[in-house]
C-alpha cells in the first residue's frame, strides 16, 4: 500500500466511522425516546389506582423479601459449590474416565462419561460424542446444562456421550498446548472404548470450538465430524454496520493497549489469571440486564422465577483460574494476534509445527448467530476465506465445510436455549449420520420448519453449495475493509507487552504472593456480591424466616393492576437508561478505536507485516487446479470411481433425505466401492471434481489409463448398469445431459485394454 492508498484508506475510515457514529447515536437516542415514552405512558394510570395502594404494598413487600432471600440462596449455593470444588453443573450423572492430572504432562482437565438417564438406551456401536465446554472464566457444564442440550440430544439419539471437564486450579506449568495434547489422549481413550464405532464427533462450544479445531488439526484423521458452536476463529472479524454497534468486545484489545493487561492481572495474583475478570467483561456488555432486567424478572415473578434464576446463577457464578502462560497464549495468538487460521500458532514440541487447519480431514459444521455480540458470525466464519485460497482448494483437500446461521439468539442462548436444542441441535445430530456423504465443498445448511400432524413442528434439512469466491467478494465489499487497523493493534500490543515485561513486571511479581492473590480473588466484585448476601452475613439472619412467612401468606396483585404496570414501567425506564448508556459507550469506543488505529501512522505500522500473495481470479490459473490437471491420467480405481461419479451425478441443492438414501445405497453396493479410507476418498473426490470440471473431455478420454485392467473396467461398468436400473435412481430420473454423459463414459471404458494386457492373455492361452 503506497502513501496515496494509505491516505485514501485513512480518510475513508475517518469519514465512514464518523458517519456511522452519528447514525448510531441517532438510533440509540430514538430507541431511548421510544422506550421512555412507553414507560411514562404506563406510569400515568397509576395515579387513579392510588386508593388500592395498601394491597399493592403488601404484594410488593412480599416479593421484595422473596427476591432478597433468592439472592441469599444464590450466595449459599455459591459457597457450597466452592466448598465442593466447583464440580461441573451438568444436568446428567457422570463418571470420570480419564483424569488429565495423571497424564505424563498433567493438566487440570478430565474426560467424563455421561450416564444415560432412565428410559434412555445407548448403543455402544454408534458414533460417540465428545463435548468440549469453553474455559472462558466460567466452570464446565453449559453443554449439558439442561435436558435440551448437546448432551441431551445426543443421548436421546442413542449415542455414547463424553464430556471434557476441567478443575478450578490449573496444574503448575500447564499451557494450552498441554491441554490440546491431553484432549488428543481423551479422543484416543474414547476410540479405544468404542473400537467398532465410527470416529467420535467433537462438539466445541465457544472457546471449546477453536480447541476442537486445534485438536483435529494436530492429529488429522483421528476424529469424526466437528461441530463448532459460537467459536471465535477469526478474532478481527465483525465489521461495523450502519445503525448497529453490536460487537464491542472486538475492540477491547485495542482500547486497552493489547495483551499487557492480562499479564498484569496474572502477576498480581501470583501467576494465575482469575476467570472472574472475563465473566465481568461479559456482564459489562449488557448493563441493563446485569443491574436491572434479570433481578426485576425475579421480583416480578417471585412465585415462579427463583428456581430458574438460581439454576443459571450456579453456573454463571463459577469462576475458574488459568496460568499466566495460558491467558498470554490466548491473548497473543488469538484475541490480538489472530494467528490460529494463519498456521503461525505452534503445536509441536518446542513450537516446531503449526496448526494447519487445512489438514483437518473431518467435515466441519459451523453454527453461529446474528444475535451474538460476543462471537459474531464473521468471527465464526471468516477463517474459511483466510485459510483456503479458493473453492477448488477446499475440494482438492477433500474438505466438507457446512455453515448454519441462527437469526437472533444471543451468545449464551446458542448453548442453553431449549428451542435451539430442539431444532438446530437435533437436526445437526441427524446430519451427522449422513454429512460424510456430501461431496467436498462449502455448503450452507438450511432448516425448514413445517407443521406436521397435530400442529407439531417438523423440520427438513437442505444443503446449498456455495463458492468461496462469492463469499469472499461479499466479505471484502461489506465486512473486511476495517480489519487493517487490527494489524496495527497487534504491533502496538507487542510493543506494550515488551515494555511491561521490562519495566513493570519484575516489581509486580516481587510484591505478589498467594495470600495477596487470595484476597484479591475473594474481594472481586462478582464473588463479593455472592458471599456478602449469604448466611455468612449475620445481618441477614432474619431473612429466611421472613421469606417463608411471605410465601405462606402471599397476597399477590394481578399482573394487569395499574400499580403493577407502573412498577414494570419504572423498571423499563431504568433498563432503557442503562441500555442507552451501553449504546453510547459502545459507539464512542468503536469510533475511538478506528480514529486511533485507522490513521495514517497506524496503517504504516500495519503494512510492516508481510502481505498475503494475491490469488488469480481465473480458476484455471490456480496452482491447485494446475496440479490436479497434471494428474489427469494418473491413479486407479478410486480415481476413476470418483471421476465417473461426478460426471454422471446431478449436483445442486442436497436434501438430507437424498444423503440418507445415498448412505443406504453405499451399503447395498459395498463390493463396488474403492477399498480406501473415507477421508482419503473425499480428497480423491475433490481432486477428480476439479479435473472433470475444467477438462471434461480429457477426463473422459483418460479413463482407460486409470483402469488398464479389464476386470476393473467391468467392475465399474457393472456398477453403472445396476445403478441405472435401481428403482431409487429411476424414481429421480436421469436428465438428458446425464444420459449423454453416461453413454460417453461407457464408450470410453469399453475401449480395449492395453496391448500388454492382450499379450499377457495370449501367453496364458498358449500355456
Amino acid at each position: 500500500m503506497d502513501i496515496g492508498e494509505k491516505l485514501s484508506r485513512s480518510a475513508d475510515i475517518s469519514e465512514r466511522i464518523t458517519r456511522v457514529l452519528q447514525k448510531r447515536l441517532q438510533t440509540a437516542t430514538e430507541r431511548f425516546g421510544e422506550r421512555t415514552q412507553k414507560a411514562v405512558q404506563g406510569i400515568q394510570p397509576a395515579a387513579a389506582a392510588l386508593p388500592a395502594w395498601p394491597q399493592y404494598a403488601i404484594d410488593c413487600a412480599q416479593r421484595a423479601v422473596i427476591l432478597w432471600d433468592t439472592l441469599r440462596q444464590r450466595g449459599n449455593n455459591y459457597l457450597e459449590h466452592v466448598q465442593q470444588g466447583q464440580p461441573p453443573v451438568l444436568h446428567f450423572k457422570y463418571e470420570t474416565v480419564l483424569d488429565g492430572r495423571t497424564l505424563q504432562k498433567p493438566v487440570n482437565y478430565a474426560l467424563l462419561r455421561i450416564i444415560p438417564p432412565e428410559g434412555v438406551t445407548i448403543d455402544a456401536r454408534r458414533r460417540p460424542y465428545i463435548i468440549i465446554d469453553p474455559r472462558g472464566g466460567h466452570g464446565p457444564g453449559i453443554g449439558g446444562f439442561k435436558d435440551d442440550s448437546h448432551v441431551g440430544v445426543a443421548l436421546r439419539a442413542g449415542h455414547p456421550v463424553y464430556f471434557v471437564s476441567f478443575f478450578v486450579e490449573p496444574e503448575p506449568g500447564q499451557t494450552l498446548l498441554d491441554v490440546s495434547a491431553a484432549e488428543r489422549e481423551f479422543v484416543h481413550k474414547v476410540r479405544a472404548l468404542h473400537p467398532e464405532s465410527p470416529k467420535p464427533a467433537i462438539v466445541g462450544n465457544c472457546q471449546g470450538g477453536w480447541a476442537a479445531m486445534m485438536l483435529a488439526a494436530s492429529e488429522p484423521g483421528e476424529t469424526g465430524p466437528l461441530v463448532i458452536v459460537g467459536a471465535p476463529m477469526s478474532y478481527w472479524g465483525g465489521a461495523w454496520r450502519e445503525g448497529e454497534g453490536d460487537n464491542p468486545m472486538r475492540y477491547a484489545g485495542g482500547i486497552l493497549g493489547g495483551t499487557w493487561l492480562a499479564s498484569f492481572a496474572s502477576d498480581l495474583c501470583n501467576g494465575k489469571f482469575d476467570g472472574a475478570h472475563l465473566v465481568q467483561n461479559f456482564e459489562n456488555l449488557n448493563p441493563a440486564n446485569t443491574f436491572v432486567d434479570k433481578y426485576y424478572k425475579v421480583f416480578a415473578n417471585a412465585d415462579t422465577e427463583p428456581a430458574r434464576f438460581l439454576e443459571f446463577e450456579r453456573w454463571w457464578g463459577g469462576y475458574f483460574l488459568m496460568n499466566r502462560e495460558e491467558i498470554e497464549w490466548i491473548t497473543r495468538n488469538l484475541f490480538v494476534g489472530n494467528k490460529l487460521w494463519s498456521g503461525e500458532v505452534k503445536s509441536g514440541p518446542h513450537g516446531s509445527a503449526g496448526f494447519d487447519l487445512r489438514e483437518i480431514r473431518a467435515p466441519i459444521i459451523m453454527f453461529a448467530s446474528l444475535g451474538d455480540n460476543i462471537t459474531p458470525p464473521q468471527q465464526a466464519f471468516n477463517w474459511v476465506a483466510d485459510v483456503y485460497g479458493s473453492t477448488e482448494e477446499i475440494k482438492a483437500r477433500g474438505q466438507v465445510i457446512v455453515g448454519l446461521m441462527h437469526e437472533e439468539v444471543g451468545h449464551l442462548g446458542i448453548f442453553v436455549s431449549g428451542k435451539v436444542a430442539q431444532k438446530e441441535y437435533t437436526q445437526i445430530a441427524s446430519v451427522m449420520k449422513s454429512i460424510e456423504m456430501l461431496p467436498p465443498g462449502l455448503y450452507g445448511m438450511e432448516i425448514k420448519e413445517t407443521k406436521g400432524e397435530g400442529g407439531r413442528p417438523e423440520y427438513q434439512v437442505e444443503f446449498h453449495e456455495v463458492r468461496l469466491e462469492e463469499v469472499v467478494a461479499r466479505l471484502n465489499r461489506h465486512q473486511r475493509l476495517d480489519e487493517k487497523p487490527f494489524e496495527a493493534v497487534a504491533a502496538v500490543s507487542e510493543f506494550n507487552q515488551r515494555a511491561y515485561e521490562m519495566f513493570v513486571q519484575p516489581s509486580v511479581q516481587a510484591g505478589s504472593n498467594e495470600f495477596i492473590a487470595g484476597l484479591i480473588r475473594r474481594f472481586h466484585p462478582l464473588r463479593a456480591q455472592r458471599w456478602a448476601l449469604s448466611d455468612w452475613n449475620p445481618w441477614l439472619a432474619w431473612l429466611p424466616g421472613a421469606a417463608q412467612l411471605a410465601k405462606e401468606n402471599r397476597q399477590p396483585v394481578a399482573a394487569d393492576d395499574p400499580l403493577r404496570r407502573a412498577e414494570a414501567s419504572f423498571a423499563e425506564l431504568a433498563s432503557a437508561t442503562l441500555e442507552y448508556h451501553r449504546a453510547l459507550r459502545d459507539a464512542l469506543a468503536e469510533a475511538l478505536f478506528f480514529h486511533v488505529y485507522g490513521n495514517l501512522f497506524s496503517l504504516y505500522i500495519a503494512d510492516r507485516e508481510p502481505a498475503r500473495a494475491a490469488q488469480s481470479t481465473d480458476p484455471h490459473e490456480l496452482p491447485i487446479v494446475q496440479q490436479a490437471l497434471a494428474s489427469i491420467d494418473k491413479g486407479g480405481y478410486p480415481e476413476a470411481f470418483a471421476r465417473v461419479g461426478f460426471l454422471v451425478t446431478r449436483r445442486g441443492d442436497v436434501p438430507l433425505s437424498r444423503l440418507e438414501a445415498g448412505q443406504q445405497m453405499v451399503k447395498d453396493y459395498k463390493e463396488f466401492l474403492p477399498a480406501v479410507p473415507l477421508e482419503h476418498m473425499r480428497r480423491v473426490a475433490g481432486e477428480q471434481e476439479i479435473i472433470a470440471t475444467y477438462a471434461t473431455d480429457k477426463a473422459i478420454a483418460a479413463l482407460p489409463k486409470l483402469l488398464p485392467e479389464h476386470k476393473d473396467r467391468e467392475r465399474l461398468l457393472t456398477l453403472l448398469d445396476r445403478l441405472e436400473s435401481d428403482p431409487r435412481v429411476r424414481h429421480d430420473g436421469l436428465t438428458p445431459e446425464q444420459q449423454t454423459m453416461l453413454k460417453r463414459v461407457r464408450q470410453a471404458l469399453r475401449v480395449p485394454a492395453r496391448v500388454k494386457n492382450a499379450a499377457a492373455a495370449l501367453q496364458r492361452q498358449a500355456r
Side-chain angles (χ1 to χ4, degrees), residues 632 643 647 695-704 741 744-745 748-749:
I632 194 169
R643 186 179 301 182
L647 287 168
T696 304
D697 294 338
K698 293 181 179 180
I700 297 173
L703 284 173
M741 183 59 67
R744 293 181 63 187
V745 169
L749 290 176

Side-chain angles (χ1 to χ4, degrees), residues 438-457:
L438 278 172
L442 182 62
Y443 297 86
M445 179 178 170
E446 182 181 3
I447 303 176
K448 298 179 180 179
E449 182 174 346
T450 59
K451 295 295 183 182
E453 295 183 5
R456 297 183 62 182

